[in-house]
Amino acid sequence: MGTRVLICDDSKMARMQLAKGLPTDWDVDIDYAEDGQQALDILSASAFDILFLDLNMPVKDGYQTLQALQSFVQPPAVIVVSGDVQPKAIQRVKDMGAVAFHKKPASAGELRRLLSSLGLFVADSRIVAPLSSQGTAAEAFTLNECLQEVSNISMGRAASVLADMLNVFIKLPVPTVNILEVGELQMALDYSVKNGSCSAVSQGFVGSGIAFEALLIFSDSSFPDMAKLLNVTEEIDHDVEVELLMDVSSVLVGPFMDALGKQLNVDFSHGHPALLGQHVKIADLINVKKAKWKRTLAVEIVYEVENYQISCDLMLLFTEDSVPVLENLLSYLVEEE
C-alpha cells in the first residue's frame, strides 16, 4: 500500500490544487475531507500517514482539528496549508503539533521540496501515471467557489500585515460570496454589524473589465481599542476616528487588492479612499449607494482582533458587468493549476 494522504479543505478548488501539486512519481492514496470534523471522523476510522490541513473552515477549523488530534494514539503527520500567514498563526499550529506550515497556493515544486525535507516522500520511478484528482476542468467549479478561495488567500495576506502592525492575532472566518439585491445586502450588513452605529470608508477599483468597490465598515465600538493599539493618546474625536479608519483601510485594503490582483493577473487602478459615513446606521450607508448597488456580486470578510473589542467588515461589491469577466478570469486560473 502506498502512503495514505488526507487533504482537508472546505474549498473544492484548494483540494484539487493540492492534489494536483503532489509529486506524480509518488506511490500515494489520496482521500478528502471538507472540514475538520469530517477529517477527524475519517482518521478515527482508518490510519493515514499525512494530513494536509486548512485553517479557516466551517464546522471545525484547523486549530480545533489539531487540538482533537492530540488525543489520537497515532496521529498523521500534519502539514498545514493555509492562506492565513500571520506569524502567530504559524507558530500556533506548530505548537499544536503540525510538522510544517505552507502558504496557499502551494506549487508542485514547493510541495515536493517540503515533503522531501520532512522525509515524507521518496520518488518511485515505477510510478508513471498521473495522480487522480477531483477534477481538472474549470467547469467543475462555480464562480462563488473560485472567488471564495482567491479571497481567502487575499484575506490572509491582509490580516498578516495588520497583525504585524498591531502585534495581535486576527481571527479569520471563511469569506462569503453571494449575488445580492440591495435589500439582501442591507440584511447581510445588518447581521454582521450587530450593535449600534458604524463608520465606513469606500474605495473604487477597476481593471481588465472588472469594476468594484471595497467597503470597509467599522463598528463604532471598535475605536477605543484601535486607538489603544495604535498608541493614540489624544482624545478620540471625529477627526481622529477618520484618521484611524483611513489607516486601517490602507493596511487591509491595499495588501488584499495586491494579492487579489496577482492571483487574477490584473493590475487594478484605484481611486482615493473616501469617507462614506460616520456614526451612521447600515441603512444610511446603503441609501448613499442605492442606485449603484441595485444588484451586486458581494464578497464579505469579517476581521476580528483577538482579545480586543475590534471588528470590521470588508465588503467587495462587484458590478453586474464584471461578473462574466471575473468568471472567465477565474476559469483560466483553475485551468492553469
Side-chain angles (χ1 to χ4, degrees):
M1 180 182 287
T3 302
R4 296 199 71 196
V5 169
L6 180 62
I7 297 175
C8 178
D9 198 306
D10 61 307
S11 164
K12 186 165 66 174
M13 178 178 165
R15 294 196 298 271
M16 183 209 73
Q17 287 175 328
L18 211 152
K20 290 183 72 176
L22 294 179
T24 53
D25 52 350
W26 193 19
D27 185 11
V28 62
D29 297 316
I30 306 174
D31 209 335
Y32 302 93
E34 296 180 9
D35 58 62
Q37 185 57 58
Q38 198 175 98
L40 291 169
D41 292 343
I42 293 171
L43 294 168
S44 297
S46 182
F48 279 76
D49 301 296
I50 300 170
L51 168 63
F52 288 99
L53 181 66
D54 186 25
L55 287 181
N56 302 322
M57 293 181 290
V59 185
K60 198 179 281 288
D61 64 23
Y63 300 104
Q64 293 168 318
T65 306
L66 281 166
Q67 183 69 41
L69 282 172
Q70 291 178 5
S71 65
F72 278 51
V73 177
Q74 287 187 310
V78 181
I79 298 174
V80 172
V81 182
S82 174
D84 185 353
V85 293
Q86 299 177 71
K88 287 180 187 286
I90 296 170
Q91 189 57 53
R92 278 188 189 191
V93 298
K94 289 185 175 176
D95 290 344
M96 296 177 79
V99 298
F101 176 96
H102 201 289
K103 70 178 188 301
K104 280 185 177 179
S107 70
E110 289 169 337
L111 282 173
R112 189 182 186 88
R113 285 191 292 276
L114 176 62
L115 289 163
S116 296
S117 69
L118 294 170
L120 297 172
F121 159 67
V122 177
D124 188 339
S125 59
R126 297 170 299 175
I127 307 296
V128 294
L131 291 170
S132 61
S133 68
Q134 290 199 317
T136 56
E139 289 76 17
F141 300 94
T142 65
L143 169 67
N144 285 16
E145 288 169 337
C146 295
L147 189 55
Q148 184 181 61
E149 182 58 15
V150 297
S151 297
N152 182 45
I153 292 170
S154 305
M155 168 185 79
R157 302 290 191 276
S160 178
V161 176
L162 184 65
D164 190 47
M165 184 177 87
L166 301 178
N167 191 27
V168 294
F169 180 74
I170 312 287
K171 293 196 284 187
L172 297 174
V174 179
T176 59
V177 181
N178 290 296
I179 290 184
L180 301 173
E181 304 289 342
V182 167
E184 295 171 315
L185 178 62
Q186 182 172 331
M187 285 174 62
L189 289 172
D190 273 335
Y191 180 76
S192 58
V193 185
K194 298 180 183 68
N195 301 315
S197 60
C198 63
S199 301
V201 172
S202 72
Q203 189 171 12
F205 291 81
V206 63
S208 299
I210 300 172
F212 61 97
E213 248 181 289
L215 185 63
L216 188 71
I217 305 171
F218 244 68
S219 169
D220 285 337
S221 60
S222 301
F223 284 117
D225 273 0
M226 181 56 73
K228 189 189 304 177
L229 284 172
L230 289 171
N231 298 318
V232 175
T233 54
E234 60 200 281
E235 183 184 350
I236 305 173
D237 57 18
H238 282 210
D239 290 339
V240 171
E241 287 177 353
V242 172
E243 197 175 320
L244 289 170
L245 262 178
M246 292 299 177
D247 286 348
V248 176
S249 174
S250 67
V251 169
L252 278 180
V253 176
F256 187 100
M257 294 310 157
D258 181 61
L260 183 68
K262 282 177 179 169
Q263 291 179 85
L264 298 176
N265 198 26
V266 174
D267 289 324
F268 289 113
S269 301
H270 57 84
H272 292 292
L275 184 67
L276 189 60
Q278 194 170 11
H279 303 308
V280 297
K281 298 293 183 187
I282 285 296
D284 298 327
L285 290 180
I286 301 297
N287 285 334
V288 172
K289 297 281 187 174
K290 209 166 189 174
K292 193 172 182 181
W293 293 342
K294 285 179 181 172
R295 190 165 186 268
T296 181
L297 172 63
V299 179
E300 183 186 10
I301 298 158
V302 180
Y303 291 93
E304 286 184 51
V305 180
E306 189 177 65
N307 300 325
Y308 289 90
Q309 284 278 83
I310 299 172
S311 70
C312 60
D313 272 23
L314 177 61
M315 299 281 294
L316 305 185
L317 303 171
F318 293 86
T319 63
E320 275 191 274
D321 293 344
S322 302
V323 173
V325 182
L326 192 57
E327 207 161 20
N328 185 50
L329 278 174
L330 289 167
S331 299
Y332 180 70
L333 178 68
V334 173
E335 286 169 351
E336 274 191 328
E337 296 295 338

